[in-house]
Amino acid sequence: NNGDGTFETTIQPTAILGETASADIAPPKILINSPTNTDYTHSQSVPINVAVTDTESGVVLTETKLDGIIFTGSAIDSFFEKLGDHQLVVHAVDRVGNPSNLTATFRIVATPESTIADVERAYALGWVDNIGVKESLVKKLQAVVKAEIDKVLATAFLNELEAQKNKYINDQAYQLIKEDIEWLLSH
């Protein structure tokens, strides 16, 4: 590879195909069982269940991306994802080189219950480091829920969240919980 006539590296073939397999012109078949085209809450774990098959030459490569970034896990922890639309794209290539792609689109949303769960998780992670602040936020969220997303109570909640920011609530918790409340108010 450097032009001196000496081989620096020997690369073995990735596929040795027989006559039948080498005639393969069909791309791999991809089935995305989960996630489905539905809403998942911010507090849910979204399982990844994908099946890729190629009966002629076999599958040599499967790659899964979440919002354009390679994803290798078995589930999406939606707590760490932004609210709104997301795409899971599965790319597969068979041993002959036939490519195939399939996309699943889903949405992560906030509900009153998931917002309370998010506050609890933020506390468990140490993002909210005062139990009194956590309990106050949960009580205010419960009042907001009872009032069917009362805008005045939600605004009061946001004011307390702002007041506790960088005192007992770190920026990650603040941004996540604020995003949940704004989602609830606009949806």
Side-chain angles (χ1 to χ4, degrees), residues 4 6 9 12 34 37 48 51 58 66 88 91 122 125 134 138 154-155 158 165 175:
D4 66 0
T6 304
T9 304
Q12 298 299 319
S34 176
N37 185 15
I48 302 295
L66 175 62
L88 184 83
H91 173 73
L125 290 170
K134 187 253 325 175
V138 169
T155 301
L158 287 172
K165 181 183 174 193
Q175 295 298 334

Side-chain angles (χ1 to χ4, degrees), residues 41-45 76-82 108 114-115 117-123 125 127 172-173 176-177 179-180:
T41 64
H42 220 198
S43 59
Q44 280 182 285
S45 177
I76 301 164
D77 187 347
S78 60
F79 179 80
F80 296 103
E81 301 298 328
K82 292 286 186 194
I108 297 176
S114 73
T115 303
D118 288 347
V119 171
E120 296 285 356
R121 184 150 180 209
Y123 177 73
L125 290 170
W127 294 2
Q172 290 168 298
L176 182 121
I177 297 166
E179 181 184 33
D180 283 357

